[in-house]
Amino acid sequence: MNSLFNQRLQAHFTQMSKYLRYVFNDFFVIALMFIIGGIGYQYAMFIKHLQAGQWWEKLVLVVLLLVVIQLNNLVTFVKRADFVFWLPKEKEFFAFLRSGLRYSKSIAVIVQIVAWFIMIPFIEKTMVTINIALTLMFLVILVVLKMMLLNFQMTDNYHHNGNFLNNKIFYRVIIPLVVVALSTYFNVYVGVIIGIVVLILSHLLVAKLKQQSINWQVVIEKTESHENSLNRFFNMFTDVENMQGAVKRRSYLGSMFKIFNNDVYSVLYSRGIVRDKEISGLLTRVSILGAIIIGAIKLDWMAILIAMLFMYLIVFQLIPYFTNFEDNVFTSLYPINFDLQVKSFTNVIGKIMILVIIVLMIGSIFMFNLLGSLMLFLALVIEWILLIKIYVPKKIKKASSNY
């Protein structure tokens, strides 16, 4: 089982390395450096001007700790075919799932340490202390609660009696909230002791799983959900093989289609993008995230660069949709030449990006002055012209010439 897990893990790393080289391209790395630098500067200024001991600081610290604990879920690399091949040796498959638990814990510890390191200045301000031991206790709490949470997620992969210990709200919210609140408002060492006790209890529950039956449907759904999340992220930068999309009609957006032209491909592209869960979800998430980041950054030039980066990423992600209907034989029967198809596609993308610009400008209202907002609007309009009028048609024609 250990060798099987190592093979799956190696295949996972191979896939990651294949797509990460597209993610961390030169343009994105430079943009990422600016983003991290800008956010780091804003965070340093926030800590510098923060008055220690204010009533809301502990509440914010509790929320931040709870959010950090929720990062990273259990990863098992189970395949749908495992249900067929390993069902006769289900008890032996426990070793495979336990290897996934260990791998998930190793990744989770790294994430918790990085998050704790970033929060050290805020923890010291909140607790009105520079006691290293006390600050380290918060790291212990993060690691202990995360290990506990992963153990309970492991028990979710098996059939059980449905007791309160396996209730997601209990182990994901109630226990972490009690431990973190006690540590922040009462005594950090009391919180550590309670967390360790619950961690030991979760270890005992995991040890008993070997004699229970696996809930294969839950395990497979969790693994596929994790893989789809990674693929959606990578799909923002390049085409991902075996992406499974879903279509949903959104009748409440029917009136919006009036802004698009009525030619054949405008109808196909506009309705296809809106109804495609992957594409429409990506547009919504990235636009809202961009607006939030723009509203949170006080440096005008940094916010403008980030907004332009989000514009580019969205357009880059939408370009492959041009070939979405090529497998449909009926599109080959339409008496429409290639240039008109490209024109219809750029028309649809251009109008969608106008909506994205509006969302990004809403974020600028909260932090920018009038001049900063006008500069952002001008930069986005110029980028819109360059992307829609030059970049998109050129990219499509270059890609089409390779076929």
Side-chain angles (χ1 to χ4, degrees), residues 39-88:
I39 294 176
Y41 176 79
Q42 294 295 326
Y43 181 59
M45 292 297 100
F46 170 74
I47 296 297
K48 182 179 180 180
H49 296 94
L50 183 64
Q51 296 182 0
Q54 299 187 67
W55 67 270
W56 56 268
E57 292 175 352
K58 289 187 176 181
L59 179 61
V60 172
L61 179 60
V62 170
V63 173
L64 287 176
L65 293 175
L66 291 176
V67 171
V68 170
I69 292 168
Q70 306 302 322
L71 300 177
N72 297 97
N73 292 317
L74 178 65
V75 180
T76 58
F77 302 117
V78 174
K79 301 297 183 182
R80 185 169 287 274
D82 291 336
F83 171 69
V84 177
F85 288 98
W86 292 105
L87 185 60

Side-chain angles (χ1 to χ4, degrees), residues 179-355:
V179 173
V180 171
L182 285 174
S183 303
T184 305
Y185 286 96
F186 181 62
N187 188 295
V188 67
Y189 297 100
V190 174
V192 170
I193 293 172
I194 296 175
I196 292 175
V197 170
V198 179
L199 176 61
I200 294 173
L201 175 61
S202 67
H203 274 301
L204 294 176
L205 293 175
V206 171
K208 295 180 180 180
L209 294 177
K210 192 172 183 179
Q211 306 302 323
Q212 300 179 20
S213 60
I214 300 175
N215 191 337
W216 288 99
Q217 187 65 29
V218 171
V219 177
I220 293 170
E221 287 179 356
K222 287 183 177 180
T223 303
E224 291 182 347
S225 176
H226 175 260
E227 292 178 353
N228 289 334
S229 298
L230 286 177
N231 289 337
R232 282 195 295 269
F233 172 73
F234 292 137
N235 201 43
M236 294 174 60
F237 302 90
T238 186
D239 292 335
V240 177
E241 298 176 359
N242 301 323
M243 274 289 292
Q244 297 179 356
V247 177
K248 179 180 180 181
R249 182 179 182 183
R250 308 177 193 276
S251 56
Y252 54 89
L253 296 178
S255 59
M256 188 187 72
F257 294 122
K258 296 179 180 179
I259 67 175
F260 299 100
N261 293 342
N262 292 324
D263 61 272
V264 173
Y265 277 104
S266 291
V267 172
L268 283 175
Y269 287 128
S270 61
R271 283 159 175 76
I273 291 174
V274 171
R275 292 173 179 174
D276 189 296
K277 286 187 177 181
E278 300 295 335
I279 298 296
S280 60
L282 173 70
L283 284 171
T284 304
R285 290 192 299 270
V286 175
S287 301
I288 294 176
L289 178 62
I292 293 174
I293 294 177
I294 291 171
I297 294 179
K298 296 181 181 180
L299 296 176
D300 292 0
W301 64 270
M302 177 61 65
I304 292 173
L305 286 177
I306 292 175
M308 295 178 69
L309 171 63
F310 275 91
M311 281 273 291
Y312 171 78
L313 289 176
I314 293 174
V315 171
F316 185 81
Q317 174 62 28
L318 289 175
I319 289 176
Y321 202 82
F322 177 79
T323 59
N324 188 69
F325 301 103
E326 280 191 352
D327 294 336
N328 191 327
V329 66
F330 294 104
T331 58
S332 302
L333 302 178
Y334 296 153
I336 301 175
N337 61 42
F338 179 77
D339 291 334
L340 289 177
Q341 182 182 352
V342 173
K343 183 178 179 181
S344 298
F345 182 75
T346 54
N347 171 65
V348 172
I349 300 303
K351 291 180 178 178
I352 289 175
M353 295 313 299
I354 291 176
L355 299 177

